[in-house]
Amino acid sequence: GQQVMQIPQYQHVQEGEDFTTYCNSSTTLSNIQWYKQRPGGHPVFLIQLVKSGEVKKQKRLTFQFGEAKKNSSLHITATQTTDVGTYFCAGHRDDKIIFGKGTRLHILP
Amino acid sequence: DTAVSQTPKYLVTQMGNDKSIKCEQNLGHDTMYWYKQDSKKFLKIMFSYNNKELIINETVPNRFSPKSPDKAHLNLHINSLELGDSAVYFCASSQFGITYEQYFGPGTRLTVT
């Protein structure tokens, strides 16, 4: 069946360092979304990527969708304590959605 | 105003009981969902309702039944609760369908003892 693998599962970084999480799908996706869940909170939509090779930026966050529409990445430049949380990708195909297992980001002060 | 609300926030109950979780959205969205997030934080879709019709029914036990009295509400009823049902359940909604951004409720933490 369709799978969306997300790595790493955990990431500890010093405040100010960069962070990247990756999603890889076994099948071509129609689009991919990214969500952030703060500790004790609920997932919050960050962005959606639709086009092959698409790159979008939100301040320190850069999102990419691969040329084959099978992989995606989220890169955070110069992390801050407010970036703490779990980042999920969610791949869409054939009216189905599959969430990656998330990358839990911990910031060391 | 809360966009997607759920009640209760916490639910502690014993095995074998039947319980319901309520969800309401005031965004005017067409589609609502139920997700289960286990202790490892894995998020899995359970159900999706579009205009009061079930359009996704992932492989969940038939003890779980979604009920949508109208477009703004999607309740989750669980019969004969089991220990493994302990999790956080999130309601979500989106406009038009599953490929659109989803707005999640605050979650209901269910603990079965």
Side-chain angles (χ1 to χ4, degrees):
Chain A
Q2 182 182 348
Q3 294 185 8
V4 174
M5 307 299 293
Q6 190 171 354
I7 56 169
Q9 190 173 352
Y10 302 94
Q11 184 81 59
H12 292 75
V13 299
Q14 291 286 146
E15 187 175 6
E17 291 182 340
D18 293 355
F19 159 77
T20 305
T21 173
Y22 301 89
C23 268
N24 294 290
S25 169
S26 55
T27 57
T28 302
L29 302 169
S30 53
N31 63 56
I32 195 161
Q33 295 172 344
W34 285 92
Y35 292 81
K36 176 184 178 182
Q37 183 176 19
R38 293 181 184 275
H42 58 276
V44 175
F45 175 83
L46 293 177
I47 210 156
Q48 177 166 291
L49 304 170
V50 179
K51 299 177 182 177
S52 169
E54 190 169 13
V55 178
K56 287 188 176 180
K57 292 189 176 184
Q58 289 179 351
K59 298 182 180 178
R60 295 178 294 105
L61 277 61
T62 301
F63 305 83
Q64 293 188 335
F65 201 12
E67 294 290 341
K69 300 183 73 172
K70 285 187 174 182
N71 53 70
S72 181
S73 65
L74 158 59
H75 180 82
I76 302 178
T77 304
T79 54
Q80 300 174 358
T81 54
T82 54
D83 296 325
V84 165
T86 301
Y87 294 83
F88 292 95
C89 61
H92 295 89
R93 179 186 168 96
D94 297 333
D95 282 337
K96 291 189 182 298
I97 182 172
I98 294 183
F99 276 78
K101 293 184 177 178
T103 295
R104 204 172 302 182
L105 173 61
H106 183 69
I107 308 290
L108 303 169
Chain B
D1 288 341
T2 303
V4 183
S5 59
Q6 291 179 232
T7 54
K9 189 171 176 61
Y10 300 96
L11 184 54
V12 181
T13 187
Q14 292 183 330
M15 282 194 306
N17 285 348
D18 302 340
K19 291 293 179 185
S20 292
I21 306 172
K22 295 185 176 181
C23 177
E24 177 181 3
Q25 55 95 3
N26 62 6
L27 298 167
H29 286 168
D30 286 335
T31 310
M32 297 182 71
Y33 314 85
W34 277 107
Y35 287 86
K36 179 180 180 181
Q37 186 170 48
D38 62 23
S39 58
K40 294 184 178 180
K41 303 297 185 184
F42 300 154
L43 198 60
K44 186 171 181 182
I45 190 167
M46 300 174 70
F47 299 104
S48 172
Y49 254 74
N50 180 292
N51 287 328
K52 297 171 66 174
E53 291 185 34
L54 182 66
I55 57 173
I56 295 178
N57 184 354
E58 296 298 308
T59 308
V60 299
N62 56 16
R63 300 181 293 105
F64 290 79
S65 55
K67 298 191 191 304
S68 181
D70 55 58
K71 201 169 74 169
H73 297 83
L74 182 64
N75 304 324
L76 182 65
H77 189 75
I78 315 170
N79 290 327
S80 303
L81 278 155
E82 301 177 356
L83 291 176
D85 298 332
S86 295
V88 179
Y89 291 85
F90 287 103
C91 175
S93 72
S94 69
Q95 195 165 13
F96 306 131
I98 203 167
T99 58
Y100 290 80
E101 65 181 274
Q102 298 189 28
Y103 293 78
F104 283 78
T108 295
R109 181 174 294 277
L110 171 65
T111 303
V112 183
T113 61

